[in-house]
Amino acid sequence: MENIEKVKNFSQVVSNIKTELRRDVVGQEDIVDNVIIAIIAGGNVLLEGVPGVGKTRLVRSLSHVLNLPFSRIQFTPDLMPSDVTGSNVIVRDENGNMKSEFRKGPIFANLVLADEINRATPKTQSAMLEVMQEHKITVGNETYALAEPFFVLATENPIEQDGTYPLPEAQMDRFIFKLIMKFPGNDELADIVKMTQITMAETAGTVVDGATILEMRALASSVPVIDEVLDYAVRLVSGTHPELDKTSDTAKKYIKYGASPRAAQALITCAKVRALINGNFNVSYADVEALAYPVLRHRIKVSYAAINEHLSVDDVIGMLIKETKKK
Amino acid sequence: MSTANKKNDGFGRFKKKLRRNAWIKSLLFGVSCGLLAAAGIIIYQKMTTVSPQLLLYLPIGAGVALFTGLLAFLVLRPSIKKIARRLDDELMLGEKVQTMLEYQDSQEDMLVLQREDANEKLMNKPLRSVRDRYFWLSVILPVLACVCITTAVILPVKAVEPPPPVEEEPETPFELSSWQESALLELIEQVKSSDMEAAPKAATVAELEGLLETLRVTTVEKEMKSHVIDTIRVLNQIIRDHNSAVMFYKYLAVSEYEPVKGIAMSMDMISGLEAKEALNHARETLRVDDINAPMTAFISAVSEALAIIQEEGLSKEEPIYRAFLTLTAQLADIGAQADDYTRDWVQARFDEAFAEASDEISDALYVQHINREVKNTTVKRLMEIFGISEDELPREEQVQLPSGDDEPDDEEGDEEDKGSEGGIGNMEVLYGSDDVIYDPVQNTYVKYGDVINGYYAAVSEKILVGKIPDTLQEYITNYFDTLYDGSEKETES
């Protein structure tokens, strides 16, 4: 019965989180919702947006709401992997003897903001792979586990491409969502200006802690998914592969390569969370469809034909959703 | 399951409603189709003027109703899964119902909550919120069926105009008038007093008297005419049976030998004068200085005809028969003695034989001519008395010549086989004419074709003059018949 109460409180908790976040972040409702979903689902998020739309502020505010240790890494071309993970340093012990001691890097936090992640070299970016997937770091012969819950929220600027290093596909696949923060509307912009006239500091209060997030994640995993919906998610992901025989003409024409199996996993995992947030106790087609865009948009690469026809990734995903039949 | 089902009451009431609807619609569809089928049959029957038959449209209508009803139920009957999917779609429940049913036996907290949530959502939805599919079809179709069956029932059977009654011609009454009676009696007297031979005269008088008796009791004109026409037919037959000239014409006409054919024509005309001329022509043909071959042909042709006529049952004492028989016998005798006497003597005998035959045949034909003329006069008079037109009379039978000679079936074949055609009347070339056989008279081998006609002529003479016993005549005749028939068959083929 305790679980039942938790289930019933699930959406209330999320609602409280949103309420607090709205104190620091104006607009961007979808982004906030999806970030919350990703955090509960235990995934990392790639935030893409022009400078000043509130990417960093969102993450910082989130750390306050979740009451989790937060660190920020500003990725630059000269950033070294050890600057992220930490490194062994020679120190004197209390007896004056020299010894090697591991000094933790900024990655050792529950909530990590990897700002402008595409500005770091691939070498440094690859240092994030193990962290993002396995939530642990290997330095030398030692492996260090990171405290749960652990999230990486990376940002990247889509405009400035000079001196950037596109993220490798393997690393892109580690992000459960890619969220695109749009420029706020006039009303929202006015609100932002008014709000920041009072204070630039985040004012959001703490709502939950890490343990609650882990409980919520466990709770969400028990949300039932009927076979038809699961099959729909699978077909949606496999439909992005142009090399498969049963793939639609849209995929064959507009997609260069498709999403990995992680996409299907992410779809169902996040759909469960979304269902609970919306007060439902089962996953629906609507949950899968709504999450298809953030889950798939960074996992598939459109072909030259799509670019030539000015079709975005989201356009192609929309076409695939329409073509994939529900049973 | 039962516990779970009780908990799924919200779903149960929708399920019950949808299944009940499926039943009702299937029933309506089946009954409507059955009614439409029955109406169709009834209308068709009425339009085609066949009276509607209950035994036909009732079972067909019931069969159609049963079949289409079952078919509709199979299509419309919703399974649990279909109902759940439909409720999720139409009530926009986000797969709640399907999930509830798929995990209905699980007792995990989340699933219990899910079921409660789904059930609550369903309970909050009114039953009418589920769209009634095929509603208008289920309304329109029965109405249409009712209209059709009503129309079919009240539709009148197509009226058929009875065929116009056949107006029977009123039978004209007949009563033998005194004039007709007296005229018929007068006709009978005329026949009695005519030169007609006794036998046909007696038969003719008897027939006329019988007619008179019949007509006295006849009351309908149609029957009167029928009796008169029958009488005319009998009178024709009497003369045809009695006048042997017809028979002589029949069997002499088949001859290819021209003089004999001429005689046959005179027989057909029953003209003594014509017969005399024909015989005179024959006599001139059979010249004394070249007598053998023509005379043999003449004798053969006539003898053959006489043999057949005799087989037909004609008396040997019949004048024409007797005259021809005597003539052929005399000619054969003259021919046999020609080398022993002078030409003048032979010629005198020859002319004498023909003259004698000519007179006898002419006299006989004259009598038969009288018979025919009296008969013709009688028939004509009967037609006048009783108002019979020429059109009402039966056509007089034509003499049918023996087949094979006068009615060639295959002209081309005849032309091709002209060189080897045979038969009694044709003594030119026979089948197998070039075969060599032994001739005991000349003690040498001769061509079969050179001697066969001579053999036949000789044996015919012997038969005619009675030198061959009656018991052997038949064998000999059959032998030559077979011989000539065989050659004819080969010729035809």
Side-chain angles (χ1 to χ4, degrees):
Chain A
M1 291 305 287
E2 186 184 353
N3 273 345
I4 292 175
E5 285 303 316
K6 286 177 183 175
V7 170
K8 288 181 177 175
N9 290 333
F10 192 98
S11 58
Q12 185 59 47
V13 172
V14 173
S15 178
N16 292 340
I17 294 173
K18 285 182 187 174
T19 304
E20 288 302 316
L21 283 176
R22 277 195 203 103
R23 295 173 65 176
D24 295 329
V25 179
V26 177
Q28 309 287 0
E29 300 287 342
D30 288 347
I31 301 298
V32 171
D33 288 347
N34 284 332
V35 166
I36 295 171
I37 289 171
I39 286 172
I40 297 173
N44 308 296
V45 177
L46 178 61
L47 290 169
E48 185 180 278
V50 293
V53 291
K55 299 187 290 292
T56 307
R57 189 178 179 84
L58 169 66
V59 179
R60 292 173 63 88
S61 180
L62 198 59
S63 70
H64 290 163
V65 172
L66 302 181
N67 193 25
L68 291 172
F70 166 75
S71 66
R72 172 181 175 173
I73 306 169
Q74 183 66 46
F75 279 65
T76 55
D78 58 351
L79 188 73
M80 299 300 290
S82 58
D83 296 335
V84 175
T85 61
S87 59
N88 289 318
V89 295
I90 305 298
V91 295
R92 288 182 187 276
D93 60 10
E94 57 271 20
N95 298 324
N97 297 325
M98 305 290 284
K99 64 171 185 181
S100 174
E101 183 180 286
F102 178 70
R103 185 160 294 174
K104 292 179 181 177
I107 200 72
F108 282 87
N110 290 93
L111 191 58
V112 176
L113 171 61
D115 218 0
E116 296 189 273
I117 191 171
N118 56 338
R119 289 195 175 279
T121 60
K123 183 180 179 181
T124 306
Q125 288 175 2
S126 64
M128 301 292 287
L129 284 175
E130 187 183 11
V131 179
M132 292 169 70
Q133 181 63 35
E134 299 177 24
H135 295 189
K136 59 188 180 183
I137 294 169
T138 302
V139 178
N141 293 327
E142 293 292 329
T143 299
Y144 304 94
L146 299 176
E148 293 291 343
F150 175 79
F151 313 103
V152 173
L153 287 96
T155 68
E156 65 176 6
N157 185 345
I159 299 173
E160 294 178 23
Q161 297 299 320
D162 292 340
T164 62
Y165 300 92
L167 294 174
E169 277 70 32
Q171 189 167 5
M172 292 288 268
D173 202 28
R174 262 65 175 181
F175 290 106
I176 201 166
F177 287 162
K178 179 182 179 181
L179 304 175
I180 297 173
M181 297 186 77
K182 294 175 183 170
F183 191 80
N186 286 347
D187 293 342
E188 290 171 346
L189 188 57
D191 289 342
I192 290 170
V193 173
K194 287 177 190 172
M195 186 175 68
T196 51
Q197 293 305 304
I198 299 169
T199 176
M200 286 295 290
E202 291 81 19
T203 58
T206 299
V207 176
V208 291
D209 54 11
T212 307
I213 295 294
L214 292 176
E215 281 179 6
M216 292 170 77
R217 184 183 301 171
L219 206 57
S221 67
S222 64
V223 172
V225 186
I226 57 172
D227 292 341
E228 286 82 354
V229 174
L230 185 68
D231 182 60
Y232 176 67
V234 169
R235 282 186 287 116
L236 199 57
V237 172
S238 63
T240 63
H241 285 261
E243 74 277 10
L244 298 179
D245 291 339
K246 292 182 178 177
T247 306
S248 66
D249 291 339
T250 301
K252 288 184 189 301
K253 185 178 180 184
Y254 296 125
I255 296 177
K256 191 173 180 182
Y257 60 82
S260 73
R262 282 195 184 96
Q265 294 172 331
L267 262 180
I268 294 301
T269 305
C270 295
K272 288 181 174 183
V273 177
R274 185 179 185 274
L276 274 184
I277 289 174
N278 292 335
N280 298 319
F281 304 102
N282 63 280
V283 177
S284 66
Y285 291 112
D287 294 324
V288 175
E289 281 180 10
L291 296 172
Y293 293 95
V295 167
L296 295 176
R297 65 165 62 106
H298 59 293
R299 287 186 165 96
I300 62 177
K301 189 171 179 65
V302 293
S303 67
Y304 180 75
I307 296 168
N308 191 41
E309 294 179 27
H310 304 290
L311 292 173
S312 67
V313 180
D314 283 6
D315 292 334
V316 175
I317 293 169
M319 293 162 77
L320 291 177
I321 289 172
K322 281 183 182 173
E323 289 174 358
T324 307
K325 292 180 179 175
K326 303 179 183 72
K327 285 185 178 176
Chain B
M1 286 291 284
S2 60
T3 310
N5 284 338
K6 281 177 185 174
K7 288 179 181 175
N8 296 341
D9 284 344
F11 175 75
R13 65 196 188 106
F14 280 102
K15 184 179 80 173
K16 192 176 175 183
K17 179 201 172 183
L18 292 175
R19 289 204 162 164
R20 187 179 62 231
N21 280 359
W23 270 111
I24 293 170
K25 284 171 187 169
S26 303
L27 189 68
L28 285 173
F29 185 76
V31 171
S32 301
C33 289
L35 286 175
L36 285 172
I41 295 168
I42 294 171
I43 290 172
Y44 174 77
Q45 286 182 336
K46 287 190 173 180
M47 295 302 286
T48 53
T49 71
V50 180
S51 57
Q53 296 172 352
L54 276 174
L55 286 177
L56 183 63
Y57 68 79
L58 271 184
I60 290 180
V64 170
L66 191 65
F67 176 74
T68 53
L70 282 174
L71 197 67
F73 183 70
L74 287 175
V75 173
L76 297 175
R77 182 179 62 95
S79 63
I80 297 287
K81 204 151 191 157
K82 280 183 181 174
I83 294 173
R85 193 175 301 163
R86 190 173 159 192
L87 291 175
D88 279 334
D89 286 345
E90 294 187 14
L91 304 179
M92 302 180 71
L93 292 177
E95 286 67 60
K96 286 185 194 302
V97 183
Q98 293 178 75
T99 307
M100 174 181 73
L101 293 173
E102 188 164 324
Y103 295 97
Q104 63 183 344
D105 294 328
S106 177
Q107 297 303 319
E108 289 177 27
D109 291 344
M110 182 65 74
L111 298 171
V112 170
L113 275 175
Q114 198 278 331
R115 279 199 294 272
E116 288 175 355
D117 177 50
N119 200 40
E120 185 184 345
K121 294 279 191 305
L122 285 172
M123 291 297 284
N124 290 335
K125 298 281 183 184
L127 282 175
R128 65 176 178 278
S129 57
V130 177
R131 193 163 50 90
D132 198 355
R133 289 180 182 174
Y134 310 115
F135 174 75
W136 286 110
L137 185 65
S138 62
V139 171
I140 292 170
L141 197 61
V143 170
L144 182 68
C146 289
V147 169
C148 286
I149 196 71
T150 308
T151 307
V153 170
I154 63 176
L155 188 74
V157 178
K158 184 182 176 185
V160 182
E161 290 186 6
V166 179
E167 290 184 8
E168 293 183 3
E169 288 183 14
E171 292 186 339
T172 309
F174 171 78
E175 186 180 0
L176 188 65
S177 65
S178 58
W179 172 83
Q180 287 171 324
E181 186 174 358
S182 61
L184 188 53
L185 285 170
E186 186 182 340
L187 180 61
I188 292 170
E189 289 304 318
Q190 285 176 355
V191 173
K192 281 180 181 175
S193 61
S194 70
D195 292 333
M196 186 185 261
E197 283 184 282
K201 183 191 286 183
T204 302
V205 169
E207 186 62 28
L208 291 174
E209 287 175 344
L211 175 65
L212 179 61
E213 292 302 318
T214 306
L215 293 181
R216 278 174 177 154
V217 294
T218 303
T219 57
V220 179
E221 186 182 86
K222 193 175 171 184
E223 290 179 9
M224 175 274 289
K225 288 193 174 184
S226 175
H227 293 316
V228 175
I229 290 168
D230 285 345
T231 300
I232 291 172
R233 188 180 292 115
V234 172
L235 294 182
N236 286 334
Q237 189 61 43
I238 289 169
I239 297 305
R240 195 180 306 115
D241 291 346
H242 187 78
N243 278 5
S244 59
V246 176
M247 197 180 290
F248 281 96
Y249 160 70
K250 182 177 177 181
Y251 293 107
L252 289 174
V254 299
S255 173
E256 294 293 328
Y257 192 55
E258 187 57 34
V260 175
K261 224 174 180 61
I263 296 170
M265 293 303 113
S266 67
M267 294 293 147
D268 185 39
M269 290 186 282
I270 317 182
S271 169
L273 190 59
E274 290 291 334
K276 277 189 174 182
E277 287 186 5
L279 284 165
N280 190 40
H281 173 65
R283 183 183 60 79
E284 289 176 353
T285 305
L286 308 176
R287 298 185 63 81
V288 175
D289 52 355
D290 186 19
I291 199 167
N292 282 335
M295 190 166 71
T296 304
F298 180 83
I299 292 171
S300 297
V302 175
S303 299
E304 176 69 15
L306 293 178
I308 298 170
I309 288 168
Q310 192 182 345
E311 284 178 9
E312 292 277 325
L314 188 69
S315 168
K316 285 184 178 178
E317 297 304 318
E318 201 280 333
I320 298 176
Y321 180 85
R322 196 176 58 232
F324 275 120
L325 190 64
T326 306
L327 176 62
T328 51
Q330 286 178 343
L331 291 179
D333 190 36
I334 292 166
Q337 298 177 25
D339 295 339
D340 300 336
Y341 294 93
T342 63
R343 183 178 298 173
D344 292 339
W345 184 86
V346 172
Q347 187 66 52
R349 289 284 311 279
F350 196 77
D351 293 343
E352 186 182 334
F354 266 100
E356 185 181 344
S358 181
D359 289 341
E360 288 181 7
I361 290 169
S362 177
D363 292 344
L365 284 177
Y366 175 74
V367 174
Q368 293 187 15
H369 175 75
I370 295 294
N371 291 342
R372 190 179 64 180
E373 288 304 310
V374 172
K375 185 267 296 179
N376 287 345
T377 305
T378 306
V379 168
K380 196 174 177 181
R381 184 61 182 151
L382 280 175
M383 290 167 66
E384 288 172 357
I385 295 170
F386 297 103
I388 308 290
S389 66
E390 290 283 347
D391 297 335
E392 294 173 280
L393 285 182
R395 289 185 61 188
E396 201 165 348
E397 290 180 19
Q398 298 295 316
V399 177
Q400 296 293 321
L401 297 179
S403 61
D405 291 336
D406 285 353
E407 294 178 3
D409 291 328
D410 186 351
E411 292 182 0
E412 289 181 8
D414 284 350
E415 286 177 5
E416 286 174 4
D417 297 331
K418 266 182 180 174
S420 61
E421 64 185 344
I424 291 173
N426 184 352
M427 299 301 164
E428 293 176 13
V429 183
L430 292 171
Y431 172 72
S433 301
D434 292 336
D435 291 351
V436 177
I437 60 169
Y438 177 70
D439 183 7
V441 178
Q442 300 178 14
N443 195 24
T444 181
Y445 284 93
V446 295
K447 282 188 177 179
Y448 166 75
D450 292 343
V451 296
I452 181 64
N453 288 335
Y455 287 172
Y456 184 65
V459 80
S460 296
E461 286 177 35
K462 301 293 183 189
I463 290 171
L464 286 171
V465 297
K467 290 185 178 178
I468 292 177
D470 291 343
T471 52
L472 293 178
Q473 285 182 14
E474 188 179 358
Y475 292 109
I476 294 167
T477 306
N478 289 342
Y479 168 75
F480 280 99
D481 284 347
T482 307
L483 207 58
Y484 280 107
D485 285 345
S487 66
E488 283 176 355
K489 286 174 185 172
E490 289 296 330
T491 303
E492 286 168 9
S493 65

